[in-house]
Amino acid sequence: MEDTLQALDDLISQFLSLNRPLWSSSDDADAFLEAVDELTSTIHGLENTSKDHALLESFDLLLERCSVRLKDEFQRLIAASSFNDYHGDHNIKKSQDEDESHTFVALPIRDFDIIVDALPEGVATEANRIARRMIAAGFGDICAETYASARHNFIDESIARLGVHAHLAERFKSASWEELDTQIMRWIPAIRVVFHILIPSERHLCNCIFDGFTSYSDLAFATACKPFLQLLSFANFIAAAGHNPESLFRIVDMYDALTYILPVLDEAFDHEIAALRECLGLSIKGIFVSLEKLIRGDSSESAPPDGGLHPITRYVMNYLMAACASRHTLEEVMHLEFGCAETCLINPDRPTSSLAVRLAWIVDVLIENLESKSRIYGHVPLGCVFLINNGIYIIKKVNGCELKVLLGEDWMRVISAKVHQWVLEYRRATWGRAIMILEKDKRSGSSSSVVVETLNHFNNFVQAVCQVQSRWVLVEKQQAMDLSSMVEELVIPVYRDTIEMLNETEAVEASYVRPEGVRLQIQHLFKAMAKL
């Protein structure tokens, strides 16, 4: 055994003393691996038969020297992959936002059915030969770590070529939302390329190099892919930073991007992706809570002087319409109880769905806020006009998108009834008073002077109403026409009855405004309110 040790030591030392890569010569590589195989086989035989610990230790030390050289050769082979040969490729363009160490960015990829062969032909096979020897010698962990270390630059540059950086969260932790928005727009397509191309390619390479050794393949893969995990952490950062309602749409885009990769997701990333989707989903839920707080916090002291559309109404309804573009994603997020193993089936067309309940509640909070604002006018008819304008706008927006499907017919009937109630209140508060003037002295036997005085009082009232309310606004022209017709139908018959009563007194020469004149005043008023 001592002679065998000496012979192997002499043979192996010849290779270890070479100042050039052993794999620059296939003959040297083959001979060295044969020597390592013989050494490993001898050690295994000794471990089963010999109790000479000193001799075993000498063999082990020689094997350790071999493993150090194998590690160096292995690392050199793996690190042979480089982008340097492709810097002239027409598919590569410069990124103006990256520093000089990350200059080249790949153009958009539309075909994701690609496996990148990152190592030159035959290198993976040679790396596999070394990996087998290192694992057999008991240095499998070191081999896996060496692989990951050798792949570090390639993976970092692969990420950089996508226009992003593995440490996005650290780089932009103090950035404005506008800056973050730009990074999100880069992160989303980058994630698709990472999970559809780079990660499967890395898994393929690990499986080739560590063929037959699944545990070491998994270890090498997990260690090498840490930059991808760091890139994913940007989603956590955004979920924590995105409390403003405007951040909803980008966070939904990120959630969708993670959903998009699920069919091709490597099982090693199952936990991380599930956790990220949960984090983004909870952020989306929180944003709707923030929107509700925003509505409640909008000062009830602010209301348009002409009773027109309030900015908060326009903002909230346009926001909800835009949110409905991501209806199915929001439905999933609102319905899903994160952390549960089971996922219930979703029926997005059901008005009682989780999203529908949330959106209905937000609109109800908006209406409650508008009703509070209407009371600051101190003039009931103007408050009613304000509510009518905003209520009609809400209905119009709901009818114009999928909100109608989500909220359902019952909800629509409730809000329509509210608007109708406000219309009746306006009619009562303004034109009900006009009717009271006409009917105040309406009794049998009234003198002509009393009736003429009543007509004059009525016409003065109508003129005052027109003078004041013509400065108000009705946003919806059809609503103005409907209100005009409604007021005419209410007032003109009673006005005619009063004139008939005057005619019965035989006051032929009495001066008064004809019914058509009153009708024209009413029509002109509502045309003025509708800015026709």
Side-chain angles (χ1 to χ4, degrees):
M1 284 290 95
E2 291 177 355
D3 292 340
T4 301
L5 173 62
Q6 187 61 52
L8 285 171
D9 193 313
D10 292 343
L11 175 60
I12 289 171
S13 294
Q14 293 178 22
F15 295 108
L16 299 183
S17 62
L18 291 176
N19 291 325
R20 59 173 174 77
L22 291 177
W23 260 254
S24 62
S25 166
S26 60
D27 291 339
D28 286 344
D30 292 342
F32 182 61
L33 290 180
E34 287 179 10
V36 172
D37 288 341
E38 184 177 349
L39 175 60
T40 303
S41 176
T42 302
I43 291 174
H44 288 165
L46 281 174
E47 287 174 341
N48 295 326
T49 59
S50 176
K51 295 183 179 179
D52 189 339
H53 298 294
L55 185 62
L56 274 171
E57 185 176 349
S58 297
F59 274 103
D60 287 338
L61 287 174
L62 180 58
L63 183 59
E64 186 173 339
R65 290 169 59 201
C66 290
S67 296
V68 171
R69 185 58 182 257
L70 286 173
K71 173 188 172 184
D72 292 341
E73 297 290 337
F74 182 79
Q75 184 169 19
R76 189 176 290 109
L77 284 172
I78 300 299
S81 59
S82 172
F83 285 104
N84 293 333
D85 295 336
Y86 305 104
H87 280 178
D89 195 317
H90 67 277
N91 285 325
I92 305 298
K93 68 182 182 69
K94 277 197 172 185
S95 168
Q96 297 178 352
D97 299 324
E98 298 295 333
D99 57 29
E100 289 302 317
S101 63
H102 293 138
T103 303
F104 298 94
V105 180
L107 293 176
I109 294 175
R110 293 174 175 82
D111 180 10
F112 291 112
D113 189 16
I114 299 171
I115 292 295
V116 176
D117 290 323
L119 297 181
E121 185 178 358
V123 171
T125 301
E126 293 302 315
N128 171 258
R129 295 173 70 195
I130 296 176
R132 287 179 174 275
R133 271 67 180 193
M134 291 187 71
I135 292 170
F139 296 97
D141 289 349
I142 293 175
C143 187
E145 292 171 3
T146 302
Y147 171 89
S149 176
R151 295 290 293 160
H152 180 77
N153 288 339
F154 181 88
I155 290 175
D156 277 352
E157 190 157 354
S158 296
I159 294 174
R161 283 177 173 238
L162 298 175
V164 292
H165 191 278
H167 300 280
L168 273 177
E170 297 174 17
R171 284 191 164 197
F172 292 92
K173 61 182 178 181
S174 300
S176 66
W177 180 254
E178 289 73 18
E179 292 173 302
L180 292 177
D181 185 82
T182 300
Q183 295 307 314
I184 292 171
M185 293 301 292
R186 294 180 176 182
W187 183 89
I188 290 171
I191 284 297
R192 291 186 175 184
V193 174
V194 164
F195 280 88
H196 280 81
I197 298 177
L198 298 183
I199 288 177
S201 297
E202 201 63 31
R203 173 64 83 178
H204 174 73
L205 184 58
C206 282
N207 290 343
C208 290
I209 292 177
F210 294 92
D211 183 31
F213 303 96
T214 303
S215 61
Y216 292 109
S217 177
D218 290 344
L219 176 61
F221 175 77
T223 308
C225 288
K226 284 182 179 179
F228 297 134
L229 290 176
Q230 292 166 342
L231 182 62
L232 282 175
S233 68
F234 182 62
N236 270 326
F237 172 71
I238 293 298
H243 298 302
N244 193 296
E246 277 73 25
S247 65
L248 170 72
F249 306 101
R250 286 291 175 252
I251 293 179
V252 166
D253 288 342
M254 296 181 84
Y255 185 94
D256 285 341
L258 295 180
T259 302
Y260 181 83
I261 64 175
L262 291 179
V264 298
L265 184 63
D266 191 286
E267 61 182 9
F269 291 88
D270 282 348
H271 175 75
E272 285 76 11
I273 296 300
L276 280 180
R277 293 179 78 238
E278 176 177 354
C279 188
L280 291 171
L282 292 174
S283 180
I284 290 170
K285 288 184 175 182
I287 287 172
F288 278 96
V289 174
S290 297
L291 177 61
E292 179 186 333
K293 290 180 180 178
L294 176 68
I295 299 169
R296 292 187 184 279
D298 189 68
S299 174
S300 61
E301 300 299 320
S302 63
D306 59 3
L309 188 64
H310 197 281
I312 191 68
T313 306
R314 190 187 304 276
Y315 173 82
V316 170
M317 296 312 301
N318 287 329
Y319 184 93
L320 296 183
M321 284 185 68
C324 279
S326 303
R327 167 186 164 192
H328 293 287
T329 297
L330 293 176
E331 192 66 63
E332 176 184 331
V333 168
M334 292 298 175
H335 187 82
L336 193 60
E337 289 296 332
F338 293 106
C340 295
E342 297 181 1
T343 302
C344 300
L345 294 176
I346 297 171
N347 182 2
D349 295 321
R350 182 165 49 88
T352 54
S353 67
S354 301
L355 178 61
V357 170
R358 171 61 67 182
L359 297 184
W361 175 252
I362 287 174
V363 180
D364 289 344
V365 170
L366 172 62
I367 293 172
E368 180 184 334
N369 180 273
L370 293 171
E371 288 176 327
S372 296
K373 293 180 188 301
S374 72
R375 290 189 281 272
I376 72 171
Y377 286 105
H379 188 45
V380 173
L382 180 54
C384 291
V385 168
F386 170 75
L387 290 173
I388 291 167
N389 279 324
N390 286 270
I392 291 294
Y393 184 84
I394 291 171
I395 291 174
K396 185 177 180 180
K397 287 295 183 178
V398 170
N399 280 328
C401 68
E402 289 189 275
L403 277 171
K404 184 176 182 180
V405 176
L406 282 168
L407 300 182
E409 294 297 331
D410 289 342
W411 186 91
M412 288 295 295
R413 279 192 287 270
V414 171
I415 185 63
S416 297
K418 274 185 172 291
V419 173
H420 183 64
Q421 177 185 342
W422 296 329
V423 169
L424 294 179
E425 181 64 18
Y426 165 78
R427 186 181 72 172
R428 184 197 64 78
T430 297
W431 301 102
R433 290 179 60 191
I435 298 300
M436 289 175 61
I437 292 172
L438 292 174
E439 294 184 337
K440 180 179 180 181
D441 296 313
K442 186 179 179 182
R443 56 186 182 274
S444 178
S446 295
S447 66
S448 60
S449 61
V450 171
V451 177
V452 169
E453 182 180 352
T454 297
L455 290 174
N456 289 335
H457 186 190
F458 170 82
N459 281 292
N460 289 337
F461 177 82
V462 170
Q463 288 177 6
V465 167
C466 292
Q467 184 178 2
V468 172
Q469 295 193 9
S470 62
R471 295 193 294 267
W472 301 353
V473 63
L474 283 168
V475 176
E476 185 63 37
K477 292 179 174 58
Q478 184 60 49
Q479 185 62 40
M481 294 172 61
D482 293 344
L483 277 172
S484 180
S485 299
M486 181 192 68
V487 171
E488 292 172 43
E489 291 172 2
L490 174 69
V491 172
I492 300 302
V494 180
Y495 188 76
R496 280 203 181 99
D497 289 346
T498 305
I499 291 176
E500 287 294 329
M501 189 170 64
L502 178 63
N503 292 336
E504 290 175 2
T505 65
E506 299 180 354
V508 178
E509 296 181 0
S511 178
Y512 57 86
V513 178
R514 302 297 174 183
E516 284 307 311
V518 175
R519 187 189 303 277
L520 285 174
Q521 282 183 296
I522 294 171
Q523 290 175 351
H524 287 157
L525 168 63
F526 286 102
K527 285 181 179 180
M529 293 175 72
K531 311 306 177 191
L532 294 175

